[in-house]
């Protein structure tokens, strides 16, 4: 079956799939409760998922049994988190499903969060990344993030250092390059965008 990609705000019903990906992607992972807070409570948070609506959700079977009223969902192939506070954007997390890496999904998610930050009128975006995480650093550098510092022993699980990376959004030429790149990504992947221009619909349940 062909894929049909939908970029949209994360819902509470997505959290089991998101946590499953998170557990395979981060040490330590975020808890389901942390995601629930980001989705339902935090007014700073703009959580995003990329969903293949033709893909079968691995939790649909059990969920339909336990919650027969719940909407059946597609397969979450990646997700990300953007915080926006007083002119600062902060990429809090980003991951692609381990079985679907290298297919451009991480790039869609990063580009979408940069675009959302621009539409929120952020002045700059920051993030932290493990010094050993060359794949993620490559992705960020492709979008012109620059290393601006180091946080020693930032990751408490193993004391690895983090690089601080930053993208300045004041540069009009950079924004023009970004717009061009975002248009190319949209043309290549053909996803429905229900995220980059829309306000976050805070919800208590899906
Ligand atoms: C980082 C991550 C989100 C990238 O997602 P992805 O869907 O695999 O990446 P994409 O296919 O969209 O690739 C986008 C860019 O990432 C970089 N990249 C992706 N895979 C790479 C690899 N195997 N080696 C080097 N660079 C790579 C490249 O710059 C690539 O652009 P290109 O295709 O023009 O070369 C994914 O590897 C992931 O989920 N990692 C685990 C979680 C994580 O480390 N998150 C970052 C926390 S700071």
């Amino acid at each position: 079956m062909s894929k049909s990609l939908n970029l949209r705000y994360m819902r509470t019903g997505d959290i089991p799939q998101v946590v499953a990906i998170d557990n395979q992607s981060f040490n330590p992972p975020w808890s389901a409760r942390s995601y629930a807070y980001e989705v339902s409570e935090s007014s700073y948070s703009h959580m995003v998922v990329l969903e293949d609506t033709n893909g079968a959700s691995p939790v649909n079977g059990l969920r339909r049994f336990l919650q027969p009223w719940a909407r059946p969902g597609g397969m979450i192939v990646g997700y990300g988190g953007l915080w926006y506070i007083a002119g600062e954007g902060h990429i809090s997390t980003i991951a692609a499903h381990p079985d679907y890496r290298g297919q451009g999904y991480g790039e869609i998610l990063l580009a979408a969060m940069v675009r959302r930050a621009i539409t929120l009128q952020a002045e700059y975006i920051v993030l932290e990344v493990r010094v050993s995480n060359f794949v993620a650093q490559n992705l960020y550098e492709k979008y012109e993030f620059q290393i601006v510092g180091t946080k020693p022993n930032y990751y408490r699980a193993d004391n690895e250092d983090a690089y601080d990376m930053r993208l300045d959004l004041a540069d009009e030429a950079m924004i023009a390059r970004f717009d061009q790149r975002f248009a190319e990504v949209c043309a290549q992947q053909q996803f429905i965008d229900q995220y980059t221009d829309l306000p976050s619909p805070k919800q208590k349940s899906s």
Side-chain angles (χ1 to χ4, degrees):
M1 192 185 282
S2 66
K3 66 187 176 184
S4 175
L5 294 174
N6 195 10
L7 181 78
R8 60 166 173 78
Y9 278 93
M10 191 183 289
R11 303 174 185 141
T12 53
D14 301 325
I15 292 175
Q17 287 194 70
V18 168
V19 167
I21 299 170
D22 205 276
N23 282 329
Q24 297 173 76
S25 304
F26 295 108
N27 177 27
W30 284 12
S31 64
R33 179 185 273 227
S34 298
Y35 279 107
Y37 173 76
E38 298 289 332
V39 170
S40 305
E41 305 291 340
S42 172
S43 54
Y44 303 125
S45 193
H46 303 263
M47 304 298 290
V48 61
V49 295
L50 188 63
E51 173 188 43
D52 179 357
T53 53
N54 284 342
S57 156
V59 293
N60 270 350
L62 179 63
R63 195 159 162 251
R64 275 211 198 115
F65 176 71
L66 295 171
Q67 299 176 306
W69 63 88
R71 268 179 296 182
M75 164 126 191
I76 304 298
V77 294
Y79 63 88
L82 170 74
W83 293 325
Y84 173 73
I85 307 171
E88 177 179 297
H90 191 137
I91 306 278
S92 59
T93 189
I94 180 171
H97 190 298
D99 295 344
Y100 299 93
R101 289 187 184 153
Q103 297 185 29
Y105 297 156
E107 178 165 359
I108 293 175
L109 288 158
L110 180 69
M113 289 190 284
V114 171
R115 186 150 199 276
R116 184 75 194 103
I118 292 169
T119 60
L120 286 163
Q121 301 190 316
E123 290 153 29
Y124 60 94
I125 308 175
V126 291
L127 58 84
E128 291 91 18
V129 59
R130 284 178 179 269
V131 295
S132 65
N133 193 346
F134 301 114
V135 170
Q137 287 166 36
N138 275 346
L139 171 59
Y140 302 141
E141 280 164 5
K142 185 171 178 180
Y143 279 79
E144 304 191 33
F145 281 80
Q146 292 181 339
I147 294 172
V148 292
T150 306
K151 288 192 174 88
N153 308 319
Y154 181 74
Y155 297 97
R156 274 177 282 166
D158 55 10
N159 289 326
E160 186 170 341
D161 297 351
Y163 285 137
D164 285 317
M165 297 189 80
R166 178 178 164 124
L167 178 66
D168 238 297
L169 298 175
D171 178 350
E172 281 181 24
M174 190 284 293
I175 298 285
R177 287 193 297 277
F178 171 79
D179 286 344
Q180 171 72 27
R181 193 168 289 139
F182 188 72
E184 285 164 14
V185 168
C186 292
Q188 277 161 15
Q189 296 276 4
Q190 303 200 338
F191 55 91
I192 297 167
D193 180 359
Q194 296 179 294
Y195 174 72
T196 64
D197 284 329
L198 297 176
S200 170
K202 288 294 161 195
Q203 50 158 200
K204 297 291 177 192
S205 61
S206 67

